[in-house]
């Protein structure tokens, strides 16, 4: 085992979080080949220093073509400096940072901003991880890629594998994936397995397939995925002129994103991009909240639960990135909180009716922000950013159920009205 970059990238290597062994960055295993622990990418600090690095990233912000037009590869020094000709980019990222008076008013904090990751090519933040994961798959010469998923990773993997001409296998829990996501996996041509079981069982299966069947595993177990997802944070810091917000609030399921955010912030501070750390707030659905349970006990032990939430994206009971996400919360003086399914549905109705729209798991971030404002943790004058992780069209069934079918109608239900084709009927409705 060696330090240094086997692919010629002197400054990047993989380090096992469990046994500490080091591996070249082109080692083809998604987990530590010595002990099967989770790997972490370590970059030497970019030599430029913070000011020059910020200037470099800012100078690329207007690039329109090629990999540097991507909101991931613009930050290549922080992501995968040696990817070179292997880069496979849609492009992705460059998502908007929005203000919304109705959403901010509902949460009780006027300074709330929304980073909308639903504006990525397949409609979720997963594209940021997948561009790096599939780039790495090409680098190591993988012929097939695989993932377990609650839906969005499957959609992203299917699309990026198709772009790269790689075979794709996605393993999802039958009946527990939102319709838009399953449709994408099928449309983009991934071999799609519907497992009679839950997500945690799917991940176990994908892990075994990665080990025994020679497919390259692209779940967030894979450390290259997290390098791409770090750019959500880098891009939002850049959009704020490198002035960190006080809080970043995000939904948490398998905890890859929480881990990626922690790493992004640690590196941004160490490399001089920012001079203080925002606090992270990870939000879980009450029925799928093993991480919140651990947080309440000071991370004394890891919990597993049988998960049940309408936010299918985060319906996860045994999150794989537990350790690295716990570190992210500790390092940023962060918190983990929970929201009920009703809170999620109400937050979603508010975000949707504001003209912005998001999927249920994303609305958990907004509901979580409201809870933390009410508890006095997020100050009313704080500048904070909630991450909308996925697009409103990912889960059309839940929208239809909420607005058309639910009895009694929720306060924010927008019932459609059936009429005969006569103007008086339109007039009657307009005057009602
Ligand atoms: N929001 C959305 C829309 C997601 O799809 C996910 C995860 C999360 C939040 C939570 O992120 O797992 O990094 O804590 N979706 C995964 C998937 C599990 O398979 O698409 P996390």
């Amino acid at each position: 085992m060696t330090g240094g970059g086997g692919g010629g990238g002197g400054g990047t290597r993989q380090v096992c979080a469990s046994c500490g062994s080091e591996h070249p960055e082109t080692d083809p295993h998604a987990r530590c080949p010595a002990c099967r622990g989770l790997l972490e990418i370590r970059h030497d600090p970019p030599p430029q220093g913070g000011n020059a690095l910020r200037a470099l990233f800012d100078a690329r912000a207007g690039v329109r073509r090629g990999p540097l037009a991507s909101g991931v590869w613009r930050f290549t020094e922080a992501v995968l400096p040696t990817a070179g000709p292997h880069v496979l980019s849609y492009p992705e990222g460059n998502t908007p940072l929005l203000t919304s008076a109705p959403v901010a008013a509902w949460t009780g904090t006027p300074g709330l901003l929304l980073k909308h990751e639903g504006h990525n090519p397949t409609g979720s933040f997963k594209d940021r991880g997948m561009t790096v994961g599939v780039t790495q798959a090409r680098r190591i010469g993988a012929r097939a890629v695989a993932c377990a998923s609650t839906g969005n990773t499957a959609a992203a993997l299917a699309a990026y594998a198709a772009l790269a001409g790689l075979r794709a296998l996605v393993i999802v829990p039958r009946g527990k994936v939102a319709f838009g996501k399953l449709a994408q996996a099928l449309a983009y041509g991934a071999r799609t397995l519907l497992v009679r079981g839950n997500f945690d069982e799917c991940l176990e299966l994908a892990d075994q397939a990665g080990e025994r069947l020679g497919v390259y595993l692209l779940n967030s177990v894979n450390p290259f995925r997290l390098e791409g997802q770090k750019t959500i944070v880098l891009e939002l810091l850049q959009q704020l002129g490198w002035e960190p917000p006080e809080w970043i609030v995000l939904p948490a399921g398998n905890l890859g994103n929480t881990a990626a955010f922690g790493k992004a912030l640690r590196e941004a501070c160490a490399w001089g991009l920012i001079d203080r750390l925002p606090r992270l707030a990870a939000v879980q659905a009450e029925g799928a909240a093993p991480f919140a349970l651990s947080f309440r006990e000071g991370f004394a032990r890891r919990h597993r639960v049988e998960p049940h939430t309408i936010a299918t994206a985060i319906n996860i009971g045994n999150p794989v990135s537990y350790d690295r996400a716990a570190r992210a919360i500790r390092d940023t003086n962060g918190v983990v909180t929970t929201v009920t399914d009703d809170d999620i549905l109400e937050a979603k109705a508010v975000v949707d009716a504001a003209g912005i729209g998001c999927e249920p798991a994303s609305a958990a971030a907004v509901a979580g922000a409201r809870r933390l404002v009410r508890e006095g943790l997020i100050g009313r004058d704080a500048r904070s950013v909630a991450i909308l992780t996925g697009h409103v069209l990912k889960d059309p069934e839940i929208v239809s159920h909420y607005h058309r079918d639910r009895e009694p109608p929720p306060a924010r239900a927008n019932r459609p009205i059936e009429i005969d084709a006569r103007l008086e009927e339109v007039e009657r409705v307009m005057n009602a």
Side-chain angles (χ1 to χ4, degrees):
M1 280 174 273
T2 61
T12 298
R13 59 208 180 276
Q14 306 191 59
V15 181
C16 175
S18 297
C19 74
S21 62
E22 293 200 3
H23 309 274
E25 63 172 313
T26 48
D27 184 290
H29 299 91
R31 282 180 180 268
C32 174
C35 77
R36 308 240 332 118
L38 293 187
L39 294 165
E40 182 183 299
I41 306 297
R42 288 256 175 93
H43 304 292
D44 286 345
Q48 298 88 331
N51 283 337
L53 203 53
R54 275 198 305 256
L56 181 66
F57 294 157
D58 289 349
R60 291 174 184 159
V63 173
R64 289 177 186 273
R65 297 184 61 187
L68 294 178
S70 155
V72 172
W73 298 102
R74 174 160 81 248
F75 303 104
T76 193
E77 286 75 6
V79 172
L80 196 57
T82 48
H86 299 281
V87 168
L88 180 96
S89 173
Y90 191 98
E92 49 290 307
N94 296 312
T95 61
L97 188 61
L98 306 167
T99 54
S100 168
V103 176
W106 185 77
T107 54
T109 175
L112 183 73
L113 299 168
L114 305 169
K115 175 89 173 137
H116 207 326
E117 288 294 305
H119 287 240
N120 273 293
T122 76
S124 86
F125 71 95
K126 303 290 181 179
D127 296 334
R128 290 186 188 259
M130 211 49 81
T131 179
V132 183
V134 170
T135 292
Q136 181 67 8
R138 291 187 348 157
R139 262 179 117 190
I140 63 167
R143 294 203 342 271
V145 290
C147 72
S149 179
T150 55
N152 281 323
T153 302
L157 178 107
Y160 279 80
L163 290 170
L166 293 171
R167 285 171 52 210
L169 177 72
V170 307
I171 303 177
V172 300
R174 181 176 154 256
K176 300 189 180 96
V177 174
F179 188 70
K181 305 173 189 182
L182 186 59
Q184 285 177 295
L186 299 175
Y188 297 132
R191 179 58 55 99
T192 302
L193 306 183
L194 307 176
V195 175
R196 293 182 285 268
N198 64 24
F199 168 80
D200 300 292
E201 292 167 302
C202 292
L203 184 53
E204 185 59 43
L205 205 55
D207 231 347
Q208 290 171 10
E211 195 183 5
R212 309 234 186 97
L213 307 181
V215 293
Y216 188 52
L217 187 65
L218 278 177
N219 274 101
S220 54
V221 168
N222 187 307
F224 292 93
R225 284 267 318 277
L226 302 194
E227 292 307 293
Q229 288 173 207
K230 287 187 325 192
T231 63
I232 303 169
V233 166
L234 294 175
E235 192 174 272
L236 81 82
L237 290 171
Q238 183 172 44
Q239 286 165 312
L240 293 172
W242 303 103
E243 270 296 315
E246 283 170 53
W247 287 90
I248 300 176
V249 188
L250 79 165
N254 213 20
L255 302 179
N257 228 17
T258 306
F261 280 30
K263 186 169 192 279
L265 291 170
R266 278 196 305 273
E267 289 172 349
C269 241
W271 300 347
L273 288 170
I274 53 174
D275 54 15
R276 67 191 153 78
L277 284 174
R279 299 176 72 181
L280 286 180
V283 185
Q284 297 211 284
E286 205 169 78
F291 192 47
L293 276 178
S294 295
F295 172 74
R296 271 177 230 138
E297 297 170 354
F299 295 120
R301 70 190 176 102
R302 185 170 174 169
H303 286 268
R304 281 168 203 217
V305 303
E306 187 58 46
H308 293 288
T309 169
I310 49 101
T312 51
I314 52 174
N315 195 37
I316 294 174
N318 185 23
V320 73
S321 288
Y322 170 82
D323 287 317
R324 47 198 185 189
R327 180 172 175 208
I329 296 299
R330 276 203 209 96
D331 285 354
T332 62
N333 189 23
V335 299
V336 186
T337 193
T338 58
V339 291
T340 64
D341 279 2
D342 278 345
D343 296 336
I344 290 173
L345 287 171
E346 188 180 349
K348 176 171 157 56
V350 171
V351 173
D352 290 355
I356 290 172
C358 67
E359 68 164 282
S362 315
V366 174
R370 174 154 105 148
R371 176 168 178 178
L372 295 174
V373 171
R374 288 186 166 179
E375 290 174 351
L377 265 156
I378 297 185
R380 286 176 191 280
D381 302 324
R383 191 161 65 154
S384 36
V385 180
I387 311 296
L388 301 181
T389 45
H391 197 278
V392 65
L393 288 176
K394 287 284 189 175
D395 194 345
E397 284 160 314
I398 212 160
V399 175
S400 179
H401 179 72
Y402 182 88
H403 290 289
R404 302 179 69 149
D405 305 329
R406 215 168 127 178
E407 290 296 346
R412 292 169 197 272
N414 178 24
R415 285 274 203 265
I417 301 155
E418 197 174 313
I419 60 164
D420 292 325
R422 288 190 290 118
L423 184 60
E424 305 87 87
E425 297 251 315
V426 179
E427 194 178 14
R428 179 175 57 78
V429 172
M430 283 182 66
N431 293 335

